[in-house]
Amino acid sequence: MSSLASGIAHLSGWLAYLVVAGLVFGETAVFLGFFVPGETAVVLGGVLASRGHVSLWLLMVIVVVAAVTGPLVGYEIGRRMGDRLFAVRALRRIPGGVQRTRAVLRDRGGLGVLLGRFVAIVRALMPAAAGAAPVRYPVFLRYNLIGGVIWGVGYCLVGYLAGSAYTVVERRVGTGLAIAIAAAVVAALAAWLIRRARRSRAAVTPPADRP
């Protein structure tokens, strides 16, 4: 994992685009996310953009396209295989992966497709689980598109904005911890946005009428 991340961090040009896109696409299309979380590749792509090795705007377009098309393949696999897919030994070995993914879909429906995008193991299984459930294709397509845009653009920007800080941390403590710090930045930003949205809803919600 660390050697792969280190390799990505030293790429440039079209090779960088292809590697990042391939990892993002493969994460949900062929369950590659069990081994290499897609956000790792995207954050590193953003770091490359901050160093001038790739274009940030082109990177975001490529990542979003890969993040949207990969789950379409996973959905089709799940639709065709159904529950047989989750009987595969390799998937049964993932602690709580299948159960957790199906629980999200059962409790949240189509919204679970969007929410699952931001949890690594769930993200890898979600498209296939949605296809097997089945979640109706138009519903899946809508939430997959929304999630792909938010996730792809968001992680590219986090890597880009944290680029200089990432370089300093990587030089002192290594790539693994640098990625962890970048992920922590994403989590903190997401938590802040959620709290802000809740405060905004609370501010505009009229108080209940008293009896």
Side-chain angles (χ1 to χ4, degrees), residues 34-203:
F34 298 141
F35 310 102
V36 184
E39 67 263 19
T40 299
V42 179
V43 168
L44 288 170
V47 172
L48 292 177
S50 74
R51 298 174 179 175
H53 296 316
V54 296
S55 164
L56 176 63
W57 297 107
L58 182 55
L59 176 70
M60 288 193 292
V61 170
I62 290 173
V63 167
V64 168
V65 169
V68 171
T69 56
L72 298 182
V73 176
Y75 180 92
E76 187 64 21
I77 292 173
R79 188 184 71 81
R80 290 178 179 273
M81 295 190 64
D83 288 339
R84 289 177 298 154
L85 175 65
F86 302 107
V88 175
R89 182 179 303 176
L91 296 185
R92 294 203 308 265
R93 290 178 177 176
I94 301 167
V98 174
Q99 293 80 3
R100 187 178 183 185
T101 302
R102 289 190 153 181
V104 172
L105 279 178
R106 183 182 61 249
D107 297 339
R108 302 291 183 175
L111 184 60
V113 176
L114 173 60
L115 298 176
R117 170 78 66 169
F118 299 91
V119 182
I121 291 179
V122 174
R123 180 171 59 251
L125 279 171
M126 182 63 71
V135 174
R136 291 189 302 113
Y137 188 74
V139 174
F140 174 80
L141 192 62
R142 178 169 66 252
Y143 284 105
N144 177 54
L145 178 60
I146 295 171
V149 172
I150 296 173
W151 182 86
V153 172
Y155 274 98
C156 284
L157 289 176
V158 165
Y160 183 84
L161 295 175
S164 58
Y166 182 99
T167 303
V168 173
V169 173
E170 180 188 15
R171 186 166 56 245
R172 293 190 178 183
V173 298
T175 302
L177 183 56
I179 293 172
I181 291 173
V185 172
V186 174
L189 178 60
W192 178 79
L193 290 173
I194 291 171
R195 286 197 300 269
R196 183 177 179 182
R198 288 176 177 173
R199 286 197 300 267
S200 299
R201 285 198 299 268

